[in-house]
Amino acid sequence: MLTHTSRRQQKYRSPISRRLRQVSPSGIRKFFDLIASMEGVISLGVGEPDYATPWHIREAAIYSLEKGYTMYTSNLGLPELRQELSRYLKDNNGLEYSPDVELLITVGVSEALDLAVRAILNPGDEVIMPNPCYVSYNSCVTLAGGTPIMVPTYEESNFEISADDIEARVTNKTKAILIGYPANPTGAVMSREKLLQIADVARRYNLLIISDEIYSQLVYGVEHTCFATLPEMKESTIFLNGFSKAYAMTGWRIGYAAANKEIIAAMTKIHQYTMLCAPIMGQVAAVEALKSGKDSVAEMVEDYNRRRLVMVKGLNDIGLHCFEPKGAFYAFPSIKSTGMTSEEFAERLLMEEKVAVVPGSAFGQCGEGYIRCCYATSLADIEEALSRMKRFVAKYQKVIGLP
Ligand SMILES: Cc1ncc(COP(=O)(O)O)c(C=O)c1O
C-alpha cells in the first residue's frame, strides 16, 4: 500500500483513468473541428442527413411543447412510444417485444450501444467485431472493460464479415459478436445467407449478438435482414436501432434497444443512474415518426439513391475505385492508386481543394487505403466535390507516375 510520503514523491500521476487513456479521440470529430474553422469547404465528412426532420414530425414536437410536455419520462421511455415501437417492430419485422419489459428508449443508438456492452461485459471479456467499423464499437467495448477482437473485412468480399473468420477468433473469453449492417463506413449490406452462418456460430458457442441496425431503412435494391428475426436468434440478440438516420433526426437523440427482459433490465439500471431518460421532445417526435414517417423516409431513400449512383460513378471515373455500397449513405473508394495514406489524402484534399472526407484508417486498420465519402449532401455539392477531387487525383497520380 502507498504511504502518504511515497504518494507525495510520485512525480506525475495522470488525472485520467488508465482505461480512458487506452482510447483515442474519434478520427471523425478531428476533421469536423478542422472544417468548422475553414470557409468554402464541401463536406462529405460527417455522416448525417442534409435534410431537416420532416415537418410533420417537427410539428408534433412543437405542439407537445405548447401543451407543456417538458418533463422527465419513465426511465424506459414514454409508454406511448414503447407501444408504438412494439407495434412497428411486429408489423415491419414480425418481432414481438413487450413494451413493458423488452424495449428501452435511449439517447441515440450511441447510448444504447454503451449500455449494451456495459450491461453484459466482465473485465477482459472479448467482443468480436468487423474491421473497419463504426468508430464507437471498439472504444465502447474498451471503456466497458472488454477487449475488442477485430475481424478484417475486405473489398474483395464486399466488406462482409465471415462466419469462419469469427469462429477462428472465438476463445473462452468471447462474450459477444458486435455487427452493424448496413455498415458505416463501407455501405456494405450482409446477405441473409451470411448472417445465418454467423447465427450458427453464435448458437454453437453460446454468444450474444449486438446488432446495430441504424441504417436498416437505407438500402438500395437489396433487402435488409434484421438479425433478431433469424431462427432462434431473438433471445440472444440485443437489437439496436434509432431515428437519427432514416428520419433525419440526429439532433433529437432518440434510439432504442430491444432484447430479452433480463438484458433490458440490466441496461435500464445503468440508464436510470446515468441518463435517467431520453429527452421527452424527441420521444414525442419519434412517436409521430413511427406513426406516419414512412412516406418521408421513402422520399429521402429515393434521393440518397440518386446521389449514391452519381457519387460511385464519379469516383470510379476519376480513378478512385469504388465498391458499390448497397446501404447507409457512404461510399468507400480506394485511394491506393495515389500512393498516399488515407490520412494524408484526406488532409491534403481538405487543404488543397477544400473537400472534406474521412480517412478510412479512422475506422480501423483495414480502412487504410480508403476514404469515406458521405453522399447525404446535395447533388450540386457532390458534383463540385467530384470535380475538385478529379483535379487533385490527377495531380498526385502524375507525381507518383501512375496512369
Ligand atoms: C453505425 C452507427 N451506429 C450508431 C450511430 C450513432 O447514432 P445515434 O445518433 O443514434 O446516436 C452512428 C452515427 O453515425 C452510426 O453510424
Side-chain angles (χ1 to χ4, degrees):
M1 219 170 102
L2 286 175
T3 64
H4 286 309
T5 326
S6 62
R7 202 167 179 142
R8 257 185 262 120
Q9 280 164 351
Q10 281 184 334
K11 281 217 176 64
Y12 177 73
R13 236 172 120 234
S14 172
I16 309 304
S17 77
R18 267 194 297 277
R19 189 175 281 174
L20 185 56
R21 276 184 278 146
Q22 280 174 263
V23 170
S24 321
S26 158
I28 303 184
R29 284 287 133 189
K30 193 171 113 184
F31 272 81
F32 197 39
D33 294 344
L34 200 59
I35 300 161
S37 65
M38 293 172 67
E39 271 186 24
V41 174
I42 298 181
S43 179
L44 309 178
V46 180
E48 75 174 326
D50 60 329
Y51 297 104
T53 307
W55 174 245
H56 64 103
I57 298 177
R58 282 185 273 161
E59 202 172 31
I62 293 166
Y63 188 47
S64 80
L65 283 174
E66 281 176 359
K67 286 200 292 187
Y69 285 99
T70 54
M71 56 289 283
Y72 293 135
T73 69
S74 122
N75 294 139
L76 287 173
L78 277 179
E80 194 191 350
L81 176 55
R82 284 179 280 128
Q83 274 148 19
E84 202 55 54
L85 186 55
S86 174
R87 234 188 321 268
Y88 176 90
L89 293 173
K90 174 96 175 50
D91 293 349
N92 287 275
N93 304 76
L95 287 167
E96 292 201 27
Y97 286 106
S98 149
D100 300 325
V101 288
E102 293 179 318
L103 293 175
L104 171 64
I105 308 301
T106 56
V107 179
V109 171
S110 303
E111 192 212 354
L113 173 68
D114 180 46
L115 296 178
V117 291
R118 284 205 277 161
I120 64 168
L121 295 181
N122 287 308
D125 280 351
E126 295 175 353
V127 179
I128 298 178
M129 61 185 78
N131 183 331
C133 66
Y134 178 51
V135 289
S136 297
Y137 293 172
N138 164 350
S139 302
C140 279
V141 167
T142 305
L143 287 171
T147 306
I149 302 293
M150 297 295 174
V151 177
T153 62
Y154 302 101
E155 187 180 346
E156 297 71 36
S157 38
N158 301 326
F159 289 110
E160 286 178 290
I161 187 169
S162 113
D164 287 346
D165 291 346
I166 292 176
E167 185 166 6
R169 286 164 180 81
V170 173
T171 70
N172 55 12
K173 292 191 192 149
T174 310
K175 186 75 182 265
I177 302 169
L178 166 51
I179 51 174
Y181 293 92
N184 177 3
T186 60
V189 175
M190 289 279 290
S191 67
R192 182 181 167 84
E193 193 193 338
K194 298 248 171 67
L195 288 173
L196 280 166
Q197 291 165 5
I198 294 175
D200 184 50
V201 175
R203 199 179 303 109
R204 280 189 285 115
Y205 293 92
N206 195 19
L207 304 175
L208 291 166
I209 296 278
I210 303 173
S211 186
D212 170 2
E213 301 183 26
I214 192 165
Y215 296 102
S216 59
Q217 296 184 73
L218 308 185
V219 283
Y220 313 102
V222 288
E223 285 264 312
H224 166 73
T225 302
C226 172
F227 200 89
T229 63
L230 298 177
E232 294 173 51
M233 282 298 111
K234 182 170 170 256
E235 260 313 283
S236 54
T237 299
I238 309 179
F239 169 29
L240 311 180
N241 209 335
F243 295 82
S244 289
K245 312 290 176 168
Y247 299 95
M249 287 176 61
T250 48
W252 299 84
R253 311 306 306 127
I254 304 294
Y256 59 87
N260 71 49
K261 71 177 188 195
E262 187 184 6
I263 288 178
I264 289 297
M267 290 171 69
T268 307
K269 226 195 269 181
I270 310 172
H271 174 76
Q272 76 189 5
Y273 290 127
T274 53
M275 211 58 71
L276 218 160
C277 65
I280 189 169
M281 305 75 159
Q283 295 194 56
V284 171
V287 172
E288 171 66 18
L290 289 175
K291 276 188 175 158
S292 29
K294 207 170 169 185
D295 291 348
S296 315
V297 174
E299 269 171 43
M300 288 189 272
V301 170
E302 222 175 275
D303 218 16
Y304 291 141
N305 193 27
R306 269 193 289 275
R307 301 167 187 195
R308 177 183 76 105
L309 296 170
V310 171
M311 177 69 98
V312 173
K313 179 171 185 313
L315 289 166
N316 279 308
D317 286 351
I318 62 180
L320 298 181
H321 180 258
C322 188
F323 144 89
E324 192 191 342
K326 299 276 175 65
F329 37 47
Y330 308 108
F332 202 59
S334 164
I335 48 100
K336 292 175 187 164
S337 63
T338 65
M340 285 183 250
T341 66
S342 59
E343 182 132 4
E344 268 165 13
F345 185 100
E347 264 175 33
R348 287 194 199 173
L349 182 64
L350 180 60
M351 294 308 165
E352 295 171 26
E353 294 288 352
K354 295 199 173 172
V355 175
V357 297
V358 182
S361 55
F363 305 94
Q365 260 178 341
C366 292
E368 183 49 80
Y370 297 86
I371 52 168
R372 189 191 76 174
C373 305
C374 174
Y375 53 81
T377 190
S378 71
L379 263 181
D381 274 0
I382 291 173
E383 274 158 6
E384 175 59 22
L386 284 168
S387 100
R388 294 184 193 185
M389 286 167 88
K390 182 176 179 179
R391 195 161 53 207
F392 178 81
V393 168
K395 183 162 82 183
Y396 284 98
Q397 284 186 329
K398 238 182 263 150
V399 173
I400 65 162
L402 284 166

